[in-house]
Amino acid sequence: MSRYEVTIEKDACDGIFACLTRDPRFVEGEDGLATIDPGADPVYDCEGEVTDNDDRVVATFDDDRIDEAQQAAAACPTDAIVVEEVGE
């Protein structure tokens, strides 16, 4: 399994939501922008730590779903999402 971090830069997010179709952990937030909810996936149980502040959303996961997160990032037309592997 990989430990990885998913970051959404709020200033760059336009609420286009192409990410939502690639990874069900991405959802629409109350502010109309993309955010991450580890419990939103109806198929897989998922746990993750999410920090949401005025500038960005940062979620850390330790699972085998990094490819889905990377697909969501690649689908973002404004490049607001970054996925990086992180150390233990």
Side-chain angles (χ1 to χ4, degrees):
M1 284 197 240
S2 299
R3 183 166 173 81
Y4 57 98
E5 204 170 75
V6 180
T7 303
I8 302 172
E9 295 293 338
K10 291 184 178 182
D11 286 345
C13 180
D14 281 344
I16 298 167
F17 304 121
C19 55
L20 276 64
T21 64
R22 305 307 193 283
D23 187 332
R25 296 173 291 182
F26 287 82
V27 296
E28 182 176 355
E30 291 181 17
D31 58 3
L33 302 176
T35 190
I36 301 170
D37 179 358
D41 191 326
V43 177
Y44 298 102
D45 286 335
C46 184
E47 293 183 19
E49 299 172 23
V50 180
T51 304
D52 189 341
N53 63 38
D54 290 339
D55 298 323
R56 66 187 52 90
V57 177
V58 179
T60 305
F61 297 98
D62 191 3
D63 58 33
D64 60 356
R65 298 180 64 195
I66 190 171
D67 289 339
E68 291 175 53
Q70 290 171 330
Q71 289 173 14
C76 180
T78 62
D79 295 326
I81 304 168
V82 176
V83 179
E84 297 177 310
E85 287 193 56
V86 294
E88 297 284 329

Coordinates of all heavy atoms in Angstrom, one line a residue:
M1 N 0.8 -1.2 0.0 CA 0.0 0.0 0.0 C 0.9 1.2 0.0 O 2.0 1.2 0.5 CB -0.9 0.0 1.2 CG -2.1 -0.9 1.1 SD -3.3 -0.5 2.3 CE -3.3 -2.1 3.2
S2 N 0.3 2.3 -0.5 CA 1.0 3.6 -0.6 C 0.5 4.5 0.4 O -0.8 4.6 0.6 CB 0.9 4.2 -2.0 OG 1.4 3.3 -3.0
R3 N 1.3 5.3 1.0 CA 0.9 6.5 1.7 C 1.0 7.7 0.8 O 2.1 7.9 0.3 CB 1.7 6.6 3.0 CG 1.3 7.8 3.9 CD 1.9 7.6 5.3 NE 1.6 8.8 6.1 CZ 0.5 8.9 6.8 NH1 -0.4 8.0 6.7 NH2 0.3 10.0 7.5
Y4 N 0.0 8.4 0.7 CA 0.0 9.5 -0.3 C -0.9 10.7 0.2 O -1.8 10.5 1.1 CB -0.4 9.1 -1.7 CG -1.8 8.5 -1.8 CD1 -2.9 9.2 -2.1 CD2 -2.0 7.2 -1.4 CE1 -4.2 8.7 -2.2 CE2 -3.3 6.6 -1.5 CZ -4.4 7.3 -1.9 OH -5.6 6.8 -1.9
E5 N -0.6 11.8 -0.3 CA -1.3 13.1 0.1 C -2.0 13.6 -1.2 O -1.4 13.7 -2.3 CB -0.3 14.0 0.6 CG -0.8 15.1 1.5 CD 0.4 15.8 2.2 OE1 1.0 16.6 1.5 OE2 0.7 15.6 3.3
V6 N -3.2 14.1 -1.0 CA -4.0 14.7 -2.1 C -4.2 16.1 -1.6 O -4.8 16.4 -0.6 CB -5.3 14.0 -2.3 CG1 -6.1 14.7 -3.5 CG2 -5.1 12.5 -2.6
T7 N -3.8 17.1 -2.5 CA -4.0 18.5 -2.1 C -4.9 19.2 -3.2 O -4.6 19.0 -4.4 CB -2.6 19.2 -2.1 OG1 -1.8 18.6 -1.1 CG2 -2.8 20.7 -1.7
I8 N -5.9 19.9 -2.8 CA -6.7 20.7 -3.7 C -6.4 22.2 -3.3 O -6.7 22.6 -2.2 CB -8.2 20.4 -3.5 CG1 -8.5 18.9 -3.7 CG2 -9.0 21.3 -4.4 CD1 -10.0 18.6 -3.4
E9 N -5.9 22.9 -4.3 CA -5.7 24.3 -4.1 C -7.0 25.1 -4.4 O -7.5 25.1 -5.5 CB -4.6 24.8 -5.0 CG -3.2 24.3 -4.7 CD -2.7 24.7 -3.3 OE1 -3.1 25.8 -2.8 OE2 -1.8 24.0 -2.8
K10 N -7.6 25.7 -3.4 CA -8.9 26.3 -3.6 C -8.9 27.4 -4.5 O -9.9 27.7 -5.3 CB -9.5 26.7 -2.2 CG -9.9 25.5 -1.3 CD -10.5 26.0 -0.1 CE -10.9 24.9 0.8 NZ -11.6 25.3 2.0
D11 N -7.8 28.2 -4.6 CA -7.8 29.4 -5.5 C -7.8 28.9 -7.0 O -8.3 29.6 -7.8 CB -6.5 30.2 -5.3 CG -6.6 31.0 -4.0 OD1 -7.7 31.2 -3.5 OD2 -5.6 31.5 -3.6
A12 N -7.3 27.7 -7.2 CA -7.2 27.2 -8.6 C -8.5 26.4 -9.0 O -8.8 26.2 -10.2 CB -6.0 26.3 -8.8
C13 N -9.3 26.0 -8.0 CA -10.5 25.2 -8.3 C -11.6 26.1 -8.7 O -11.9 27.1 -8.1 CB -10.9 24.4 -7.0 SG -12.4 23.4 -7.2
D14 N -12.2 25.7 -9.9 CA -13.3 26.4 -10.4 C -14.7 25.7 -10.2 O -15.7 26.1 -10.8 CB -13.1 26.7 -11.9 CG -12.2 27.9 -12.2 OD1 -12.0 28.7 -11.2 OD2 -11.7 28.0 -13.3
G15 N -14.7 24.6 -9.5 CA -15.9 23.8 -9.3 C -16.4 23.1 -10.6 O -17.6 23.0 -10.8
I16 N -15.5 22.7 -11.4 CA -15.9 22.0 -12.7 C -16.2 20.5 -12.3 O -17.1 19.9 -13.0 CB -14.7 22.1 -13.7 CG1 -14.5 23.6 -14.1 CG2 -15.0 21.3 -14.9 CD1 -13.3 23.9 -14.8
F17 N -15.6 20.0 -11.3 CA -15.9 18.7 -10.8 C -15.6 17.5 -11.7 O -16.2 16.4 -11.6 CB -17.3 18.6 -10.3 CG -17.6 19.6 -9.2 CD1 -18.7 20.5 -9.5 CD2 -16.9 19.7 -8.1 CE1 -19.0 21.5 -8.5 CE2 -17.2 20.7 -7.1 CZ -18.2 21.6 -7.4
A18 N -14.6 17.6 -12.6 CA -14.2 16.5 -13.4 C -13.6 15.4 -12.5 O -13.7 14.2 -12.8 CB -13.2 16.9 -14.4
C19 N -13.1 15.8 -11.3 CA -12.5 14.9 -10.4 C -13.5 13.9 -9.8 O -13.2 12.7 -9.5 CB -11.7 15.6 -9.3 SG -12.8 16.8 -8.4
L20 N -14.7 14.4 -9.6 CA -15.7 13.6 -9.0 C -16.1 12.3 -9.8 O -16.4 11.3 -9.2 CB -17.0 14.4 -8.8 CG -17.1 15.2 -7.6 CD1 -16.1 16.3 -7.5 CD2 -18.5 15.8 -7.5
T21 N -15.9 12.3 -11.1 CA -16.2 11.2 -11.9 C -15.1 10.2 -11.9 O -15.3 9.0 -12.4 CB -16.5 11.6 -13.4 OG1 -15.3 12.2 -13.9 CG2 -17.7 12.6 -13.4
R22 N -13.9 10.5 -11.4 CA -12.7 9.6 -11.4 C -12.5 9.0 -10.1 O -11.9 7.9 -10.0 CB -11.5 10.4 -11.8 CG -11.5 11.1 -13.1 CD -11.9 10.3 -14.3 NE -11.6 10.8 -15.6 CZ -12.3 11.8 -16.2 NH1 -13.3 12.4 -15.6 NH2 -12.0 12.2 -17.4
D23 N -12.9 9.7 -9.0 CA -12.7 9.1 -7.6 C -13.8 9.6 -6.8 O -14.0 10.8 -6.5 CB -11.3 9.7 -7.1 CG -10.9 9.1 -5.8 OD1 -11.8 8.7 -5.0 OD2 -9.7 9.1 -5.6
P24 N -14.6 8.7 -6.2 CA -15.8 9.1 -5.5 C -15.5 9.8 -4.1 O -16.4 10.2 -3.4 CB -16.6 7.8 -5.3 CG -15.6 6.7 -5.5 CD -14.5 7.3 -6.4
R25 N -14.2 9.8 -3.7 CA -13.9 10.5 -2.5 C -13.9 12.0 -2.7 O -13.9 12.8 -1.7 CB -12.5 10.0 -2.0 CG -12.4 8.6 -1.6 CD -11.1 8.1 -1.3 NE -10.2 8.1 -2.5 CZ -9.0 7.7 -2.5 NH1 -8.4 7.3 -1.4 NH2 -8.3 7.7 -3.7
F26 N -13.9 12.5 -3.9 CA -14.0 13.9 -4.2 C -15.5 14.2 -4.3 O -16.3 13.5 -4.9 CB -13.3 14.2 -5.6 CG -11.8 14.2 -5.6 CD1 -11.2 13.0 -5.7 CD2 -11.1 15.3 -5.4 CE1 -9.8 12.9 -5.7 CE2 -9.7 15.3 -5.4 CZ -9.1 14.1 -5.5
V27 N -15.8 15.3 -3.6 CA -17.2 15.7 -3.5 C -17.3 17.2 -3.6 O -16.3 17.9 -3.4 CB -17.9 15.2 -2.1 CG1 -18.0 13.7 -2.1 CG2 -17.2 15.8 -0.9
E28 N -18.5 17.7 -3.8 CA -18.7 19.2 -3.8 C -18.8 19.6 -2.3 O -19.6 19.1 -1.5 CB -20.0 19.5 -4.5 CG -20.2 21.0 -4.6 CD -21.4 21.5 -5.4 OE1 -22.0 20.6 -6.1 OE2 -21.7 22.7 -5.5
G29 N -18.0 20.6 -2.0 CA -18.1 21.2 -0.6 C -19.2 22.3 -0.5 O -19.8 22.7 -1.5
E30 N -19.4 22.7 0.7 CA -20.4 23.7 1.0 C -20.1 25.0 0.2 O -21.0 25.8 0.0 CB -20.5 24.0 2.5 CG -21.1 22.8 3.2 CD -21.2 23.1 4.7 OE1 -21.1 24.3 5.1 OE2 -21.3 22.1 5.5
D31 N -18.8 25.3 -0.1 CA -18.4 26.5 -0.8 C -18.5 26.4 -2.3 O -18.2 27.3 -3.0 CB -17.0 26.9 -0.4 CG -15.9 25.8 -0.7 OD1 -16.3 24.8 -1.2 OD2 -14.8 26.0 -0.3
G32 N -19.0 25.2 -2.8 CA -19.2 25.1 -4.2 C -17.9 24.6 -4.9 O -17.9 24.5 -6.1
L33 N -16.9 24.3 -4.2 CA -15.6 23.8 -4.7 C -15.4 22.4 -4.3 O -16.1 21.8 -3.5 CB -14.5 24.7 -4.2 CG -14.5 26.2 -4.5 CD1 -13.4 26.9 -3.8 CD2 -14.5 26.4 -6.0
A34 N -14.5 21.7 -5.0 CA -14.2 20.3 -4.7 C -13.6 20.2 -3.3 O -12.8 21.0 -2.9 CB -13.3 19.7 -5.7
T35 N -13.9 19.1 -2.6 CA -13.3 18.8 -1.4 C -13.2 17.3 -1.3 O -13.5 16.6 -2.3 CB -14.1 19.3 -0.2 OG1 -13.3 19.2 1.0 CG2 -15.4 18.7 0.0
I36 N -12.6 16.7 -0.2 CA -12.4 15.3 -0.1 C -13.2 14.8 1.1 O -13.0 15.3 2.2 CB -10.9 14.9 0.0 CG1 -10.2 15.4 -1.3 CG2 -10.7 13.4 0.1 CD1 -8.7 15.4 -1.2
D37 N -13.9 13.7 0.9 CA -14.6 13.0 2.0 C -14.3 11.5 1.9 O -14.8 10.8 1.1 CB -16.1 13.3 1.9 CG -16.9 12.6 3.0 OD1 -16.3 11.9 3.8 OD2 -18.2 12.7 3.0
P38 N -13.4 11.1 2.8 CA -13.0 9.6 2.7 C -14.2 8.7 2.8 O -14.2 7.6 2.3 CB -12.1 9.5 3.9 CG -11.6 10.8 4.2 CD -12.7 11.8 3.8
G39 N -15.3 9.1 3.5 CA -16.4 8.2 3.7 C -17.5 8.3 2.5 O -18.5 7.6 2.6
A40 N -17.2 9.1 1.5 CA -18.2 9.3 0.4 C -18.3 8.1 -0.6 O -19.2 8.0 -1.3 CB -17.9 10.6 -0.3
D41 N -17.3 7.3 -0.6 CA -17.2 6.2 -1.6 C -18.3 5.1 -1.1 O -18.1 4.5 0.0 CB -15.9 5.6 -1.6 CG -15.7 4.6 -2.8 OD1 -16.7 3.9 -3.1 OD2 -14.6 4.5 -3.4
P42 N -19.3 4.8 -1.9 CA -20.3 3.9 -1.5 C -19.8 2.4 -1.6 O -20.5 1.5 -1.1 CB -21.4 4.1 -2.5 CG -20.7 4.6 -3.7 CD -19.6 5.4 -3.2
V43 N -18.7 2.1 -2.3 CA -18.3 0.8 -2.5 C -17.2 0.4 -1.5 O -17.2 -0.7 -0.9 CB -17.8 0.6 -3.9 CG1 -17.2 -0.8 -4.1 CG2 -18.9 0.9 -4.9
Y44 N -16.1 1.2 -1.3 CA -15.0 0.9 -0.5 C -15.0 1.6 0.8 O -15.3 2.8 0.8 CB -13.7 1.2 -1.2 CG -13.5 0.5 -2.5 CD1 -13.7 1.1 -3.7 CD2 -13.0 -0.8 -2.5 CE1 -13.5 0.4 -4.9 CE2 -12.8 -1.5 -3.7 CZ -13.1 -0.9 -4.9 OH -12.9 -1.6 -6.1
D45 N -14.7 0.9 1.9 CA -14.5 1.6 3.2 C -13.2 2.3 3.0 O -12.2 1.7 2.6 CB -14.5 0.6 4.3 CG -15.9 0.1 4.6 OD1 -16.9 0.8 4.4 OD2 -16.0 -1.0 5.2
C46 N -13.1 3.6 3.4 CA -11.9 4.3 3.2 C -11.7 5.2 4.5 O -12.7 5.8 5.0 CB -12.1 5.2 2.0 SG -10.6 6.2 1.6
E47 N -10.5 5.3 4.9 CA -10.1 6.1 6.0 C -9.0 7.1 5.5 O -8.2 6.7 4.8 CB -9.6 5.3 7.2 CG -10.7 4.5 7.8 CD -10.2 3.7 9.1 OE1 -9.2 4.1 9.6 OE2 -10.9 2.7 9.4
G48 N -9.1 8.3 6.0 CA -8.1 9.2 5.7 C -8.2 10.4 6.6 O -9.2 10.6 7.2
E49 N -7.1 11.2 6.7 CA -7.1 12.4 7.5 C -7.2 13.6 6.5 O -6.5 13.7 5.5 CB -5.7 12.5 8.2 CG -5.5 11.3 9.1 CD -4.0 11.4 9.7 OE1 -3.4 12.5 9.7 OE2 -3.6 10.3 10.1
V50 N -8.2 14.4 6.8 CA -8.4 15.6 5.9 C -8.3 16.9 6.8 O -8.9 17.0 7.8 CB -9.9 15.5 5.3 CG1 -10.1 16.7 4.4 CG2 -10.0 14.2 4.6
T51 N -7.5 17.8 6.2 CA -7.4 19.1 6.7 C -7.9 20.1 5.7 O -7.5 20.1 4.5 CB -5.9 19.5 7.0 OG1 -5.4 18.5 7.9 CG2 -5.8 20.9 7.7
D52 N -8.9 21.0 6.1 CA -9.5 21.9 5.2 C -9.4 23.3 5.8 O -9.9 23.6 6.9 CB -11.0 21.5 5.0 CG -11.7 22.3 3.9 OD1 -11.2 23.4 3.5 OD2 -12.7 21.8 3.5
N53 N -8.6 24.2 5.1 CA -8.5 25.6 5.6 C -8.9 26.5 4.4 O -9.4 26.1 3.4 CB -7.1 25.8 6.1 CG -6.0 25.7 5.1 OD1 -6.2 26.1 3.9 ND2 -4.9 25.2 5.5
D54 N -8.7 27.8 4.6 CA -9.1 28.8 3.6 C -8.4 28.6 2.2 O -9.0 29.0 1.2 CB -8.8 30.2 4.1 CG -9.8 30.6 5.2 OD1 -10.8 29.9 5.4 OD2 -9.4 31.5 6.0
D55 N -7.2 28.1 2.2 CA -6.4 28.0 1.0 C -6.4 26.6 0.3 O -6.4 26.6 -0.9 CB -4.9 28.3 1.3 CG -4.7 29.7 1.9 OD1 -5.4 30.6 1.4 OD2 -3.9 29.9 2.7
R56 N -6.5 25.6 1.1 CA -6.4 24.2 0.5 C -7.1 23.2 1.3 O -7.3 23.3 2.5 CB -5.0 23.9 0.2 CG -4.1 23.7 1.4 CD -2.6 23.5 1.1 NE -2.1 24.5 0.2 CZ -1.5 25.7 0.6 NH1 -1.4 25.9 1.9 NH2 -1.1 26.5 -0.2
V57 N -7.3 22.0 0.6 CA -7.7 20.8 1.3 C -6.6 19.8 1.1 O -6.1 19.6 0.0 CB -9.0 20.2 0.6 CG1 -9.4 18.9 1.3 CG2 -10.1 21.2 0.7
V58 N -6.2 19.2 2.2 CA -5.1 18.2 2.2 C -5.6 17.0 2.9 O -6.0 17.0 4.0 CB -3.8 18.7 2.9 CG1 -2.7 17.6 2.8 CG2 -3.3 20.0 2.3
A59 N -5.6 15.9 2.1 CA -6.0 14.6 2.6 C -4.9 13.6 2.5 O -4.2 13.5 1.5 CB -7.2 14.0 1.9
T60 N -4.7 12.8 3.6 CA -3.6 11.8 3.6 C -4.3 10.4 3.7 O -5.1 10.2 4.5 CB -2.7 12.0 4.8 OG1 -2.2 13.3 4.7 CG2 -1.5 11.0 4.7
F61 N -3.8 9.5 2.8 CA -4.4 8.2 2.8 C -3.3 7.2 2.8 O -2.1 7.4 2.4 CB -5.2 7.9 1.5 CG -6.4 8.8 1.3 CD1 -6.3 10.0 0.6 CD2 -7.6 8.5 2.0 CE1 -7.5 10.8 0.5 CE2 -8.7 9.3 1.9 CZ -8.6 10.4 1.1
D62 N -3.6 6.0 3.3 CA -2.6 4.9 3.4 C -3.4 3.7 2.8 O -3.9 2.8 3.6 CB -2.1 4.6 4.8 CG -1.0 3.7 4.9 OD1 -0.5 3.2 3.8 OD2 -0.5 3.4 6.0
D63 N -3.5 3.6 1.5 CA -4.3 2.5 0.9 C -3.7 2.3 -0.5 O -2.7 2.9 -0.9 CB -5.8 2.8 0.9 CG -6.1 4.1 0.2 OD1 -5.4 4.5 -0.8 OD2 -7.1 4.8 0.6
D64 N -4.4 1.5 -1.3 CA -4.0 1.1 -2.6 C -4.8 1.9 -3.7 O -4.9 1.4 -4.9 CB -4.1 -0.4 -2.9 CG -5.5 -0.9 -2.7 OD1 -6.4 -0.2 -2.3 OD2 -5.7 -2.1 -2.9
R65 N -5.3 3.0 -3.4 CA -6.1 3.8 -4.4 C -5.5 5.1 -4.9 O -6.1 6.0 -5.4 CB -7.4 4.1 -3.7 CG -8.2 2.8 -3.3 CD -9.5 3.0 -2.7 NE -10.4 3.7 -3.6 CZ -11.5 4.3 -3.2 NH1 -11.8 4.3 -2.0 NH2 -12.2 4.9 -4.1
I66 N -4.1 5.1 -4.9 CA -3.4 6.3 -5.4 C -3.7 6.5 -6.9 O -3.8 7.6 -7.3 CB -1.9 6.2 -5.1 CG1 -1.3 7.6 -5.4 CG2 -1.3 5.1 -5.9 CD1 0.2 7.7 -5.0
D67 N -3.9 5.4 -7.6 CA -4.2 5.6 -9.1 C -5.5 6.4 -9.3 O -5.6 7.2 -10.2 CB -4.3 4.2 -9.8 CG -2.9 3.5 -9.9 OD1 -1.9 4.3 -9.8 OD2 -2.9 2.3 -10.1
E68 N -6.5 6.1 -8.5 CA -7.8 6.8 -8.6 C -7.6 8.3 -8.4 O -8.1 9.1 -9.1 CB -8.9 6.2 -7.7 CG -9.3 4.8 -8.1 CD -10.3 4.3 -7.1 OE1 -11.3 4.9 -6.8 OE2 -10.0 3.1 -6.7
A69 N -6.8 8.6 -7.3 CA -6.6 10.0 -7.0 C -5.8 10.7 -8.1 O -6.0 11.8 -8.4 CB -5.8 10.1 -5.6
Q70 N -4.8 10.0 -8.7 CA -4.0 10.5 -9.8 C -4.9 10.8 -11.0 O -4.7 11.7 -11.7 CB -2.8 9.6 -10.1 CG -1.8 9.6 -9.0 CD -0.7 8.6 -9.2 OE1 -0.9 7.5 -9.8 NE2 0.5 8.9 -8.7
Q71 N -5.8 9.9 -11.3 CA -6.8 10.1 -12.4 C -7.6 11.3 -12.2 O -7.9 12.1 -13.1 CB -7.6 8.8 -12.6 CG -6.9 7.7 -13.1 CD -7.7 6.4 -13.2 OE1 -8.9 6.4 -13.0 NE2 -7.1 5.3 -13.4
A72 N -8.1 11.5 -10.9 CA -8.9 12.7 -10.6 C -8.0 14.0 -10.8 O -8.5 14.9 -11.4 CB -9.4 12.6 -9.2
A73 N -6.8 13.9 -10.4 CA -5.9 15.1 -10.6 C -5.7 15.4 -12.1 O -5.7 16.5 -12.5 CB -4.6 14.8 -9.9
A74 N -5.5 14.3 -12.8 CA -5.2 14.5 -14.3 C -6.5 15.0 -15.0 O -6.3 15.7 -16.0 CB -4.8 13.1 -14.9
A75 N -7.6 14.7 -14.5 CA -8.9 15.2 -15.1 C -9.2 16.7 -14.8 O -10.0 17.3 -15.5 CB -10.1 14.3 -14.6
C76 N -8.5 17.2 -13.8 CA -8.8 18.6 -13.4 C -8.3 19.6 -14.4 O -7.1 19.7 -14.6 CB -8.2 18.9 -12.0 SG -8.5 20.6 -11.4
P77 N -9.1 20.3 -15.1 CA -8.7 21.2 -16.1 C -7.9 22.4 -15.6 O -7.2 23.1 -16.4 CB -10.0 21.6 -16.9 CG -11.0 21.4 -15.9 CD -10.6 20.3 -15.0
T78 N -8.0 22.7 -14.3 CA -7.3 23.9 -13.8 C -6.1 23.5 -13.0 O -5.5 24.3 -12.4 CB -8.3 24.7 -12.9 OG1 -8.7 23.9 -11.8 CG2 -9.5 25.2 -13.6
D79 N -5.8 22.2 -13.0 CA -4.6 21.7 -12.3 C -4.6 22.1 -10.8 O -3.6 22.4 -10.2 CB -3.3 22.2 -12.9 CG -3.1 21.6 -14.3 OD1 -3.5 20.5 -14.6 OD2 -2.5 22.3 -15.2
A80 N -5.8 22.0 -10.2 CA -5.9 22.4 -8.8 C -5.6 21.2 -7.8 O -5.5 21.5 -6.6 CB -7.4 22.9 -8.5
I81 N -5.4 20.0 -8.4 CA -5.2 18.8 -7.5 C -3.8 18.3 -7.8 O -3.4 18.1 -8.9 CB -6.2 17.8 -7.9 CG1 -7.6 18.3 -7.7 CG2 -6.0 16.5 -7.0 CD1 -8.7 17.4 -8.3
V82 N -3.1 18.0 -6.6 CA -1.8 17.4 -6.7 C -1.8 16.2 -5.8 O -2.3 16.2 -4.7 CB -0.7 18.4 -6.2 CG1 0.7 17.7 -6.1 CG2 -0.7 19.6 -7.0
V83 N -1.2 15.1 -6.3 CA -1.2 13.8 -5.6 C 0.3 13.5 -5.5 O 1.0 13.4 -6.5 CB -1.9 12.7 -6.3 CG1 -1.8 11.4 -5.5 CG2 -3.4 13.0 -6.5
E84 N 0.8 13.2 -4.2 CA 2.2 12.9 -4.0 C 2.3 11.8 -3.0 O 1.6 11.8 -2.0 CB 2.9 14.1 -3.4 CG 3.0 15.3 -4.4 CD 3.7 16.5 -3.7 OE1 3.3 16.9 -2.6 OE2 4.5 17.1 -4.4
E85 N 3.2 10.9 -3.3 CA 3.5 9.8 -2.3 C 4.3 10.5 -1.2 O 5.1 11.4 -1.4 CB 4.3 8.7 -2.9 CG 3.5 7.8 -3.8 CD 4.2 6.5 -4.2 OE1 4.6 5.8 -3.3 OE2 4.3 6.3 -5.4
V86 N 4.1 10.1 0.1 CA 4.8 10.6 1.2 C 5.3 9.5 2.0 O 4.8 8.3 2.0 CB 3.9 11.5 2.1 CG1 3.5 12.8 1.3 CG2 2.6 10.8 2.6
G87 N 6.4 9.7 2.8 CA 7.0 8.7 3.7 C 6.1 8.4 4.8 O 5.1 9.1 5.2
E88 N 6.5 7.3 5.5 CA 5.7 6.9 6.7 C 5.8 7.9 7.8 O 6.5 8.4 8.3 CB 6.2 5.5 7.1 CG 6.0 4.4 6.1 CD 4.6 4.0 6.0 OE1 3.9 3.9 7.0 OE2 4.2 3.6 4.9

